[in-house]
């Protein structure tokens, strides 16, 4: 059987407009400091920290998963 719980959790994680923006920003970056991300995107450090925690828990803040994230962002934008 197919486990859809992870997919649902991923969609829920990306439902907040800021998280796809953060992940899209990180897509082409190698190493970058959190403070630099916050400054460049205009997101307060504490807010960014919360978003990064949620995306990390969902397994999206891993370089290998960026193509999955891109597909999900496109899917969510089409809705």
């Amino acid at each position: 059987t197919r486990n859809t719980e992870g997919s649902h959790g991923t969609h829920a994680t990306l439902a907040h407009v800021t998280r796809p923006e953060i992940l899209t920003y990180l897509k082409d970056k190698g190493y970058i400091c959190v403070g630099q991300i916050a400054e460049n995107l205009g997101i307060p450090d504490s807010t960014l920290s919360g978003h990064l925690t949620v995306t990390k828990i969902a397994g999206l803040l891993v370089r290998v998963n960026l193509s999955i994230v891109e597909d999900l962002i496109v899917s969510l934008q089409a809705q």
Side-chain angles (χ1 to χ4, degrees), residues 21 25 29 32-43:
E21 179 183 4
Y25 174 80
K29 305 290 187 265
I32 188 165
C33 295
V34 173
Q36 189 66 43
I37 299 167
E39 182 180 325
N40 289 345
L41 295 180
I43 301 169

Side-chain angles (χ1 to χ4, degrees), residues 12-34:
T13 299
L14 293 174
H16 192 287
V17 68
T18 304
R19 293 180 192 140
E21 179 183 4
I22 293 166
L23 293 170
T24 299
Y25 174 80
L26 291 173
K27 181 179 84 168
D28 297 323
K29 305 290 187 265
Y31 174 84
I32 188 165
C33 295
V34 173

Side-chain angles (χ1 to χ4, degrees), residues 23 26-27 60 62-71:
L23 293 170
L26 291 173
K27 181 179 84 168
L60 298 177
V62 177
R63 187 134 187 97
V64 174
N65 289 339
L66 286 178
S67 63
I68 296 168
V69 172
E70 290 170 343
D71 292 343

Side-chain angles (χ1 to χ4, degrees), residues 2-15 58 60 68 72 75-76:
R2 186 173 174 200
N3 180 359
T4 58
E5 182 179 331
S7 175
H8 173 71
T10 302
H11 282 295
T13 299
L14 293 174
L60 298 177
I68 296 168
L72 288 168
S75 170
L76 288 171

